[in-house]
Amino acid sequence: MADQKEQETSVFTEEVIKEVIFRVHRFSPDDGKPPRMQDYKVPVKRGMTVLDGLHYIRDNLDSTLSYRFSCRMAICGSCGMFINNLPRLACKTQILELEADTIEVKPLPNYEVIKDLVPDLSDFFEKHRSVMPYLIREEEEEKIDPPTNEFLQTPDELERFLQFAYCTKCGLCLAGCPTVATDKVFLGPMALAQAFRYNSDTRDQGFEKRLELLCVPEGPWRCHFAGSCSEVCPKGVDPALGVQLLKGQIVFTKLGLKKPHKIAPLATEKPEAKRRPGIPEAPPRTVKKE
Amino acid sequence: MANGTISKPENRLGIVGWFYAGSFSFERYAYILHRITGLGILLYFLLHIFGSSARISGQSSWESLMHFLGKPIFVAGEYLVFIAFCFHAMNGIRLILGELGFSIGKPGRPVYPYRISLNRQRPLLVVFMIIAVIFILLGGYDFFIAGH
Ligand code: SF4
Ligand code: FES
């Protein structure tokens, strides 16, 4: 009886609430046809996401539909699409929340299209790579991976960049950016926010090196703070904040009004991890160590 | 194009993307207006140089040009440039402040519902837009009432 009651009040009912039209972008480089939109009828249950809708199409209506996804929980950043005119993650967007009878799904704008809903993110990752998004140390022995020991950083120092470390590289911010809409070479909000993230990390000594890469016409000065990147970012990374802070960081450091950050020292002792009482040993390895 | 394949669509929003790319906050449209007003002011500057150069051809050609430019349509045009200038100047100050890191807040943990830099600087935007409107109204009074 209690079970039945629970089932009735649960939001995860199997009941079909309505039927919507999925208007999906189709394009295949091999069939010789120009890009077009194709309609599919999708029955919607409560809690169903746009990604679930695409799965429904692929499983029941058209197995040739291509799209990217992996985690289906807004963590991997694979399923970015242009859904009802905004860049969104398909797995984080519920169909009912869109309050529309037609769901238009297109590939993320400002990226070339490989097939159907699959954008070509190679430029995006290239821009990321170009700002040296990793810790740069001057000591010879710390340049190798792994470093010889931990770097010591306070919680306050961590807070200065942590927000930007939440970026999942989903690419939505560049799809939303009006500068990227007309400018192919602009580094874009993700790479620039990541440059700020590493410049502000006390374990990093790469500010001067990155400065050479950033003080170019396609660098941060081409951003004019429309803020659209932050509006569409699904992880609250606020890349527009990172880009503006990067500009300030460059100006004030170059004018000598801001001192370079203190450099995190290398821990002198190896941290010794002690097992807390009551925590059992890990089970034996199932795969032999080479 | 070999084997019947066609090249990848570029799918860039282009200039259309400046005007419409979904529902965004006012700041995106301020960005676009800033560009348009900037180009407008530049165009006016070129016309102004061109107009002033009539001075070289002597007093009479200068006066006849001034008489011609005194027509209501040109006064209205000049007022449009003044509106563009007020917006561009006030929005420009807001942008300089934001771009140097003022008014936008500090990084923090992204806790849902997210509050972003755009929301934090909005009061400043409102203040600067109010100042711009005051200048525009005062200018209108001078252009069309006090100046006539
Ligand atoms: S900043 Fe946000 S929108 Fe841009 S790639 Fe990272 S997570 Fe995605
Ligand atoms: S599938 Fe991983 S973010 Fe959507």
Side-chain angles (χ1 to χ4, degrees):
Chain A
M1 186 67 196
D3 268 6
Q4 196 189 344
K5 184 121 201 277
E6 216 168 80
Q7 228 170 15
E8 276 166 13
T9 51
S10 164
V11 289
F12 300 106
T13 56
E14 283 301 299
E15 182 199 345
V16 172
I17 304 223
K18 67 173 183 175
E19 196 169 70
V20 297
I21 303 284
F22 262 57
R23 188 156 291 159
V24 183
H25 178 272
R26 302 303 310 269
F27 165 75
S28 170
D30 303 321
D31 66 8
K33 291 189 205 154
R36 62 209 170 275
M37 300 302 283
Q38 192 169 342
D39 286 1
Y40 302 95
K41 279 189 190 147
V42 175
V44 183
K45 294 172 189 166
R46 204 178 289 281
M48 216 169 132
T49 63
V50 173
L51 184 65
D52 293 331
L54 294 172
H55 288 338
Y56 177 86
I57 297 171
R58 192 201 49 187
D59 294 347
N60 301 290
L61 307 174
D62 188 342
S63 59
T64 64
L65 183 65
S66 303
Y67 49 97
R68 296 177 79 228
F69 75 97
S70 177
C71 70
R72 46 107 187 101
M73 53 174 86
I75 288 173
C76 71
S78 307
C79 66
M81 295 172 199
F82 204 48
I83 301 168
N84 280 10
N85 264 320
L86 268 190
R88 313 180 211 237
L89 291 181
C91 69
K92 195 176 177 250
T93 309
Q94 296 207 1
I95 300 174
L96 293 177
E97 122 201 15
L98 292 170
E99 293 178 352
D101 294 327
T102 306
I103 314 290
E104 203 177 61
V105 192
K106 295 185 188 168
L108 279 184
N110 305 338
Y111 298 95
E112 287 184 346
V113 185
I114 296 178
K115 187 174 183 286
D116 297 339
L117 298 169
V118 183
D120 185 348
L121 298 173
S122 13
D123 263 6
F124 171 72
F125 291 129
E126 196 41 59
K127 286 173 179 175
H128 181 223
R129 223 170 280 135
S130 77
V131 299
M132 305 173 97
Y134 39 81
L135 295 180
I136 299 174
R137 290 293 287 201
E138 278 166 12
E139 310 99 307
E140 224 20 75
E141 61 276 21
E142 302 312 328
K143 284 182 184 163
I144 49 165
D145 194 20
T148 52
N149 206 349
E150 282 188 81
F151 298 114
L152 299 176
Q153 190 167 58
T154 66
D156 272 358
E157 290 167 347
L158 175 70
E159 292 280 332
R160 281 183 226 159
F161 68 84
L162 184 64
Q163 179 168 18
F164 308 110
Y166 279 92
C167 170
T168 60
K169 319 292 176 293
C170 67
L172 261 57
C173 47
L174 270 77
C177 172
T179 302
V180 180
T182 46
D183 187 345
K184 208 177 161 161
V185 291
F186 172 48
L187 283 174
M190 183 278 284
L192 294 171
Q194 292 310 306
F196 177 77
R197 175 249 176 275
Y198 283 95
N199 280 348
S200 313
D201 191 324
T202 52
R203 297 167 297 175
D204 180 84
Q205 292 175 295
F207 178 71
E208 289 296 332
K209 275 199 184 130
R210 271 185 216 105
L211 199 58
E212 279 171 37
L213 306 166
L214 294 168
C215 289
V216 289
E218 58 273 21
W221 305 105
R222 209 164 269 189
C223 158
H224 307 299
F225 200 15
S228 305
C229 53
S230 296
E231 287 194 89
V232 298
C233 175
K235 303 304 287 180
V237 169
D238 200 353
L241 174 68
V243 184
Q244 310 326 307
L245 292 177
L246 176 69
K247 293 176 192 169
Q249 186 180 53
I250 294 174
V251 170
F252 292 124
T253 314
K254 280 287 134 190
L255 291 176
L257 299 171
K258 187 176 189 295
K259 278 192 255 141
H261 63 65
K262 152 180 163 264
I263 302 298
L266 202 63
T268 45
E269 284 168 25
K270 286 252 185 234
E272 262 191 46
K274 282 196 202 106
R275 182 173 297 279
R276 270 194 275 150
I279 308 237
E281 286 289 333
R285 282 176 176 276
T286 50
V287 179
K288 283 229 164 68
K289 223 175 169 186
E290 299 249 319
Chain B
M1 285 280 195
N3 305 329
T5 57
I6 54 176
S7 54
K8 291 191 269 182
E10 178 145 16
N11 199 24
R12 204 160 282 281
L13 284 178
I15 292 201
V16 176
W18 287 6
F19 295 97
Y20 186 73
S23 53
F24 285 102
S25 305
F26 180 73
E27 283 78 1
R28 185 186 181 102
Y29 303 99
Y31 163 104
I32 291 147
L33 264 182
H34 201 76
R35 288 197 156 178
I36 295 173
T37 51
L39 289 173
I41 294 164
L42 189 68
L43 181 70
Y44 173 78
F45 175 70
L46 295 176
L47 290 175
H48 176 66
I49 300 277
F50 180 72
S52 310
S53 66
R55 204 79 174 102
I56 303 171
S57 329
Q59 181 80 11
S60 65
S61 72
W62 170 251
E63 272 168 11
S64 68
L65 181 75
M66 284 299 103
H67 180 71
F68 177 68
L69 292 180
K71 287 182 181 168
I73 176 114
F74 290 112
V75 177
E78 218 168 354
Y79 182 58
L80 269 184
V81 176
F82 179 74
I83 293 175
F85 168 77
C86 292
F87 171 80
H88 200 84
M90 290 303 123
N91 193 47
I93 299 173
R94 170 187 75 93
L95 285 175
I96 292 172
L97 290 174
E99 294 190 27
L100 290 178
F102 302 107
S103 78
I104 53 174
K106 284 197 283 192
R109 303 228 171 195
V111 179
Y112 208 76
Y114 305 134
R115 199 164 179 270
I116 53 174
S117 49
L118 215 55
N119 308 132
R120 292 192 211 107
Q121 63 80 54
R122 189 143 309 134
L124 197 71
L125 172 87
V126 172
V127 168
F128 277 112
M129 287 304 107
I130 291 174
I131 299 175
V133 169
I134 293 172
F135 278 128
I136 289 168
L137 292 176
L138 287 176
Y141 176 75
D142 188 57
F143 264 78
F144 300 110
I145 301 167
H148 281 261

